[in-house]
Amino acid sequence: MYIIRGGETLYGKIRVQGSKNSSLPILAASILNGRKNTIRDVPKIKDIDVMTEILSYLGADIVRDNNLMVVDSGNVNCSDVPEHLMREMRSSIVLMGALLGRFGKAKVSYPGGCEIGPRPIDLHLKGLAQMGVEFSEGHGFIYAKTDKLRGADIHLDFPSVGATENIMLAGVLAQGTTIIRNVAKEPEIVDLQNFLNRMGAKIKGAGTDTIKVEGCKIDDLKQVEDYTIIPDRIAAGTYLVAAAITNGHIWLTNVIGEHVEPILAKLREMGCMINCSNNVIELYVDKPLKSLDSLRTLPYPGFPTDMQAPMMALLSTVEGTSILVETVFENRFKHAQELRRMGANISINGNTAIIKGVDKLTGAMVEAKDLRAGAALIIAALAAEGETHVEGVCHIERGYENIEDNLTALGAEIVKKY
């Protein structure tokens, strides 16, 4: 658990980690070329540990040196992903597209990860089926096979990040051209495109509504000698909100301002002072923050669902009433009950949270039920009166690298107890 004594004002400078949500599909993509790939700024988090274990099981040779990973997929000879590892991390589903491209078959179980409501993979399966993949199910496994992946014109019913990534990966070694419409526009999709193109793939359109993948042969792909993962925009947002709730003054380095603009816009609306330049963001608070009439989560470039929980913690401490609407995932308000233990005034009606700011939060024993809920509880604890014990550290460590060290460097009183 984390033991946090609230009341300290955060001040100082920290560097933002590499993106979790870029690293995972890029590591999956390393299967495609059957060569050595050198990737920098891979965060040291539990989800990466799981993906590394999966790739090693499949036959990849992996060398890790702090945030540098070298993945040699030349000896990958297996297309069955172990069930116990699939269940630990939802992002493992993107291995399906890479395995189908390389071997024409894959055996996976339904993925796990955080319990934040249904996140069906039907869009993944529907898109891959249009490319010639046949699916069967049995004993909790999904069996996928194809004689030859073929390019197709695919329209996603919803701009799913995972489905976009899986179809992109499958399209790299497909015969012909794959056009994917109504795709996710997240920066992590652009990062995956850039990595694949560095490998020799022919992809364009990431960041727009339509992505075009011209299929090639495995012999056309080359090793990636040096690729750096983009900064993690959700980690950046989390530290900015932590500074805001403590009336702090921090500087974040290694952050792309454009990627966090939806978060910055809401923090500015609340009264935070923010300056951006040269991949550095400065945030400080010099007056009482105010509530938000409306905060609605949306696919990028809207406000990210992964920042909904941290913002709920912040809004619990400002004067006035805020309305927060979650449109991306069902059942993503589990943190509300835990925040109530700390004195927050939050009522839930379907996918809407009504948050009435209170004078102060108080320390309590709380439990993180998922990754971002854990971040929200840490943020609330930083501002709470007294001591807070946050259990469920395993969830938080799935996505945040050295969060206790970073917060300590900014002046927080936080220790990890085993």
Side-chain angles (χ1 to χ4, degrees):
M1 73 170 72
Y2 290 124
I3 301 174
I4 303 164
R5 180 164 291 280
E8 300 297 329
T9 299
L10 298 192
Y11 179 89
K13 179 189 292 186
I14 58 171
R15 183 183 187 276
V16 175
Q17 69 191 55
S19 170
K20 163 179 118 68
N21 292 332
S22 272
S23 297
L24 294 168
I26 282 174
L27 288 172
S30 68
I31 290 173
L32 288 169
N33 60 354
R35 300 175 189 272
K36 186 181 289 186
N37 303 283
T38 301
I39 309 166
R40 297 184 184 276
D41 225 1
V42 180
K44 291 184 286 185
I45 55 175
K46 289 200 170 176
D47 271 11
I48 297 297
D49 294 341
V50 174
M51 182 62 87
T52 301
E53 201 172 338
I54 293 173
L55 291 172
S56 296
Y57 175 89
L58 296 175
D61 296 314
I62 299 176
V63 177
R64 292 182 74 175
D65 182 11
N66 288 318
N67 299 107
L68 175 70
M69 283 188 68
V70 180
V71 182
D72 188 339
S73 59
N75 292 323
V76 171
N77 55 10
C78 175
S79 58
D80 297 359
V81 181
E83 180 179 17
H84 71 283
L85 295 175
M86 279 288 291
R87 290 188 177 278
E88 285 189 38
M89 182 183 65
R90 179 171 180 80
S91 298
S92 54
I93 194 66
V94 299
L95 287 157
M96 185 185 292
L99 290 170
L100 284 166
R102 177 87 179 267
F103 301 108
K105 61 180 181 178
K107 175 188 171 186
V108 300
S109 64
Y110 280 95
C114 288
E115 296 180 10
I116 57 175
R119 293 193 281 178
I121 59 171
D122 56 327
L123 295 180
H124 302 239
L125 306 185
K126 183 178 176 182
L128 292 170
Q130 288 180 251
M131 300 177 72
V133 180
E134 296 179 358
F135 294 99
S136 59
E137 295 184 44
H139 307 288
F141 290 96
I142 301 170
Y143 300 84
K145 65 176 182 178
T146 179
D147 293 332
K148 179 63 182 177
L149 284 170
R150 297 182 300 276
D153 195 325
I154 299 165
H155 186 103
L156 296 178
D157 295 328
F158 177 83
S160 158
V161 172
T164 299
E165 292 167 343
N166 240 334
I167 297 167
M168 283 174 69
L169 291 169
V172 170
L173 293 175
Q175 186 174 29
T177 300
T178 301
I179 299 173
I180 323 166
R181 305 182 192 276
N182 192 33
V183 296
K185 301 176 186 176
E186 274 73 359
E188 295 80 13
I189 301 291
V190 179
D191 210 22
L192 177 60
Q193 172 183 277
N194 292 342
F195 177 80
L196 289 169
N197 285 345
R198 186 79 65 85
M199 186 186 284
K202 297 177 181 177
I203 309 174
K204 60 183 179 181
T208 72
D209 288 318
T210 304
I211 293 174
K212 183 177 180 181
V213 186
E214 292 185 27
C216 61
K217 300 188 184 325
I218 192 169
D219 291 342
D220 297 328
L221 300 181
K222 56 183 185 286
Q223 72 177 27
V224 179
E225 295 183 355
D226 196 344
Y227 190 85
T228 301
I229 299 290
I230 61 171
D232 193 308
R233 60 195 172 95
I234 305 302
T238 299
Y239 291 119
L240 291 170
V241 171
I245 203 170
T246 64
N247 295 317
H249 189 168
I250 68 168
W251 292 260
L252 297 182
T253 65
N254 189 46
V255 58
I256 299 172
E258 181 185 353
H259 292 175
V260 294
E261 186 54 43
I263 303 165
L264 300 183
K266 286 302 178 182
L267 290 173
R268 285 192 179 104
E269 189 178 331
M270 294 180 70
C272 294
M273 305 302 293
I274 299 171
N275 298 309
C276 304
S277 64
N278 300 322
N279 290 346
V280 177
I281 294 180
E282 175 191 20
L283 177 144
Y284 61 94
V285 177
D286 60 2
K287 58 186 176 184
L289 299 180
K290 54 180 184 285
S291 58
L292 292 174
D293 293 336
S294 175
L295 176 63
R296 178 182 293 266
T297 66
L298 290 166
Y300 190 86
F303 190 89
T305 179
D306 281 350
M307 282 301 300
Q308 177 256 107
M311 284 296 285
M312 184 182 287
L314 174 60
L315 292 169
S316 297
T317 66
V318 302
E319 186 177 352
T321 299
S322 302
I323 307 297
L324 195 161
V325 182
E326 173 59 59
T327 72
V328 179
F329 291 126
E330 299 175 30
N331 198 27
R332 202 168 197 180
F333 284 145
K334 289 186 176 181
H335 45 282
Q337 178 60 40
E338 300 302 301
L339 289 170
R340 288 192 198 107
R341 293 177 188 271
M342 301 177 70
N345 184 345
I346 304 168
S347 58
I348 305 296
N349 183 9
N351 69 337
T352 301
I354 301 169
I355 307 155
K356 295 181 180 179
V358 296
D359 290 337
K360 65 179 180 180
L361 298 175
T362 54
M365 181 77 75
V366 293
E367 182 182 358
K369 302 294 179 66
D370 62 68
L371 168 57
R372 308 305 175 184
L377 296 176
I378 289 175
I379 287 167
L382 293 171
E385 185 178 87
E387 194 170 88
T388 301
H389 292 200
V390 181
E391 296 183 323
V393 167
C394 58
H395 290 295
I396 298 165
E397 292 181 339
R398 285 188 47 236
Y400 292 96
E401 177 180 288
N402 300 327
I403 190 169
E404 69 273 22
D405 293 340
N406 283 330
L407 290 172
T408 298
L410 295 172
E413 287 193 29
I414 174 172
V415 295
K416 181 178 172 182
K417 184 177 179 182
Y418 294 91

